Amino acid sequence: MATAAERTAMRRAITLAARGLGATSPNPVVGCVILDAAGEQAGEGFHQRAGGPHAEVHALRAAGERARGGTALVTLEPCNHTGRTGPCAQALVEAGVSRVVYAVSDPNPQATGGADTLRAAGVQVEQGLLADEAETGNTAWLTSVRLGRAYVLWKYAATLDGRIAAADATSRWITSPEARADVHRLRAEADAVVVGSGTARADDPQLGVRGVEGAVQPLRVVVDTDATAVRPGARVLDGSAPTLIAVADDAEAGHLPEDAVLRLPRAAAGPGLDIGALLAALHTRGVRSVLLEGGPTLAGAFVAAGAVDTVVGYLAPVLLGAGPAALADAGISTISQALRLDVTETVRIGPDLRITAVPVPARKGN
């Protein structure tokens, strides 16, 4: 059983892991705390960037000789493979750690097995400590590994009656500066930001992260099926961050930079591109988390494809009564088909309300 000191250390490791959001893909975010043989904290670390030392290595370096005979608290099962860095399980063995407690098992078949390696070396291993908290902090990477596609967080901003713009199409600004700043935090935590052709035409967005110190700029993706929305000189082509323009296989895209064009099949039913193909293409490029900021049409296509893992809505205390809704046709024609959500968090952001919700798993037999 974990001690109180170990539970405190694991909570610290979970907090540390979050510092790597947006910078570690295609790797997970991981935090590690080393307690010495007396149960005192000796070192800590987190995975800071892909290709760099893993969390356990940073923590072991900080702990030095105090790691010998101590306990390592890790948010994810120590890896067991050699990639751009060595296996963390072996590093823990060589450091003389006597006990390892990890929160979540590694579902990646290339990296799993670290716990077995540790046990074979005589290290005591325990799993599951604060597993739910650790899984929540690493949900994007875990989802991408389990489903084989990028995790999708759909963000929208709307009035209290669900309108994202007025009837005359004016939309700036529905939510407060505080809410808009919070969106940049979401961008900083994502590997890619995705919008559609309607947003590209109406707003000419730049899609970069502003106001977040040390942020890695995400990949900017515009779903422009017929290659008509993004024109030379568009802000999304400004070179400040990598950009992909997703177009149909048969679209004429000669006016766009060749290296920015991503050709995909059209959707089998309805307009637009095949959402599954888009997410698969991004996954092969190392994208493990997507922030969907597109308008109602693109959001509807993602919902219809079953490709929304989390919804974050910013609701302003404003009423319009007319204007476009946050979500367009999502292939839902009757209330029995409604996508039910479980609200996981509600937070006041300035005068606005941020609601986070996740789809309720379908019951077996339904």
Side-chain angles (χ1 to χ4, degrees):
M1 295 293 292
T3 66
E6 289 172 349
R7 294 180 70 85
T8 298
M10 183 64 82
R11 286 199 174 91
R12 174 59 180 168
I14 292 169
T15 299
L16 288 168
R19 295 184 182 179
L21 286 169
T24 64
S25 284
N27 299 336
V29 293
V30 183
C32 178
V33 172
I34 305 292
L35 302 180
D36 64 18
E40 299 294 327
Q41 181 168 326
E44 65 179 29
F46 67 98
H47 187 34
Q48 299 175 13
R49 60 178 178 82
H54 289 186
E56 296 92 326
V57 174
H58 283 296
L60 288 171
R61 287 174 179 172
E65 282 300 311
R66 291 178 66 193
R68 190 164 301 278
T71 299
L73 289 300
V74 195
T75 57
L76 186 68
E77 178 184 0
C79 67
N80 198 44
H81 79 298
T82 300
R84 285 183 284 183
T85 60
C88 292
Q90 189 60 40
L92 290 164
V93 170
E94 292 174 357
V97 169
S98 64
R99 175 173 159 84
V100 172
V101 180
Y102 66 89
V104 180
S105 296
D106 193 334
N108 183 353
Q110 293 181 327
T112 192
D116 292 338
T117 295
L118 290 165
R119 291 190 182 99
V123 177
Q124 182 184 358
V125 179
E126 180 180 327
Q127 71 176 83
L129 178 61
L130 303 183
D132 289 345
E133 294 177 35
E135 178 141 353
T136 297
N138 215 10
T139 187
W141 182 83
L142 289 167
T143 298
S144 72
V145 172
R146 291 164 180 165
L147 299 182
R149 64 156 173 82
Y151 157 92
V152 177
L153 185 155
W154 171 41
K155 159 264 163 185
Y156 70 92
T159 62
L160 207 56
D161 56 340
R163 308 295 177 175
I164 61 168
D168 65 356
T170 54
S171 62
R172 296 188 178 185
W173 296 99
I174 287 177
T175 53
S176 64
E178 293 92 337
R180 298 196 296 275
D182 196 60
V183 171
H184 282 277
R185 175 189 60 82
L186 293 182
R187 286 185 182 179
E189 293 178 354
D191 298 331
V193 178
V194 178
V195 300
S197 57
T199 300
R201 287 193 188 92
D203 299 337
D204 185 24
Q206 196 265 348
L207 299 180
V209 177
R210 297 187 297 277
V212 179
E213 185 177 354
V216 176
Q217 292 296 332
L219 173 68
R220 302 175 293 185
V221 182
V222 180
V223 179
D224 187 9
T225 305
D226 296 312
T228 57
V230 179
R231 310 304 300 177
R235 295 176 69 211
V236 78
L237 298 175
D238 65 5
S240 63
T243 301
L244 286 177
I245 312 300
V247 305
D249 286 331
D250 58 352
E252 174 51 57
H255 59 287
L256 296 172
E258 185 176 352
D259 60 354
V261 173
L262 172 63
R263 292 193 174 274
L264 296 170
R266 292 179 182 269
L273 300 177
D274 184 313
I275 299 302
L278 170 64
L279 292 177
L282 294 177
H283 192 268
T284 62
R285 287 166 168 76
V287 172
R288 298 295 179 262
S289 61
V290 163
L291 175 62
L292 175 62
E293 290 196 42
T297 300
L298 187 61
F302 270 76
V303 171
V308 171
D309 302 296
T310 300
V311 179
V312 174
Y314 294 86
L315 299 183
V318 176
L319 299 176
L320 283 172
L327 185 66
D329 182 11
I332 300 169
S333 59
T334 181
I335 192 66
S336 63
Q337 299 173 345
L339 178 60
R340 303 288 178 177
L341 303 173
D342 179 25
V343 175
T344 59
E345 184 185 52
T346 57
V347 179
R348 187 79 176 263
I349 305 289
D352 306 319
L353 185 65
R354 185 185 72 207
I355 299 177
T356 303
V358 297
V360 176
R363 294 180 180 176
K364 293 182 179 180
N366 284 9

